[in-house]
Amino acid sequence: MTARSLLAALLLLSACQPGPGGEERRTRFIMGTLVEIHLPAGQPRGHDDAVNLAFGEMARLEEMMSPHRPDSLLSLINQNAGGPFTPAPAEFIEVVRRGLGWGKLTKGTFRLSLGPVVALWHFEDPEPGPPPAGKTLTRALDLVDDAAIEIRDGQIRLGKAGMKLDLGAIGKGYAVDRALAVLAGAGVKNALVNAGGDLAVLGRPAAGKAWRVGLQHPRKPESLIAAFDAEDIAVATSGDYQRYYIHGGVRYHHILDPVTGMPSMGLTSATIVTANTADADALATAVFVLGRKKGLELIESLENVEGMVVDASGAVAFSTGFRRLPGFEFMGL
Ligand code: ADP
Ligand code: MG
């Protein structure tokens, strides 16, 4: 059975008292997850339209980047693999460029060209069945090649027939950043956008307070491991509990090791805190695959990036700066 935790990977601790004029939490199902826009009391006039615009922006990006919609730009690019270039808007190309950059920096643990392998796993099916056979996986892995993703003035092309672009590990983060930008552009000063644990904040929930973010325990959804105050920051978590199924007593989840094509073992969750959600999203996936030691080394090597990892034995480790996040609190496991 495919399980998708509707509980956000990060539970927001109630940080503000509902005031007159009303604190609001609005939700919509976008990109396979329940997206929440949380607005504290005291919003400007017209904030309702702003929220609709923000959700609309995320839905627009889903239409563009979804591998499940035959008419999405992503599907068109994939259909044209090995054939002609496909025109793509600047924002799409920006996401691809950023993803390719993280792929290079993480030595191939993050792969935008992993589509053929992702497609074999059928995580969207209610009954996905047994994992793909070795030979099928090997054939799909042969098509994984980020270097064969070609970009030239407003166009994109996958070099080999059968190649498939997959933006699943970065697109949601990018959409959160865009939603926040739309809210800010419409005059909203204080808000939080949370797409199943990939989140970003604007302003504060009340004067003198900060948005409080709690990191969920990978095995006990009701418990928090740690919490901190979020100011002008984005957070993303990749976990083996977010999208998975059990077959023959084995847990198969959706974060794949591009070397083997199999779910990456070692960590149960990886959280990244950084300036924007697109990078946090991509890095959380990459660090999940890199594992505890190499993942933390990568985080330490990057400016303004902090992270937390939980390994399969249940041990928690933080990057050095994580404990210095404002209001940091470690509850333990
Ligand atoms: P979530 O969608 O739960 O936030 P992630 O951000 O980790 O989780 O993204 C997982 C998705 O990214 C998968 O469903 C798949 O589409 C894609 N993916 C899986 N493994 C990788 C990888 N190693 N590199 C790039 N994309 C991946
Ligand atoms: Mg990700």
Side-chain angles (χ1 to χ4, degrees), residues 109-111 114 166 168-169 172 238 242 254-256 258 281 285:
T109 52
F110 185 85
R111 281 283 175 247
L114 203 59
D166 184 297
K172 207 192 315 160
S238 280
Q242 288 176 331
H254 73 142
I255 303 163
L256 305 171
D281 190 4
T285 306

Side-chain angles (χ1 to χ4, degrees), residues 139-161:
R139 270 200 301 275
L141 282 166
D142 283 345
L143 290 164
V144 176
D145 183 5
D146 276 16
I149 301 174
E150 302 163 39
I151 296 172
R152 73 169 191 211
D153 35 82
Q155 302 179 78
I156 188 161
R157 175 180 185 265
L158 307 178
K160 295 173 214 157

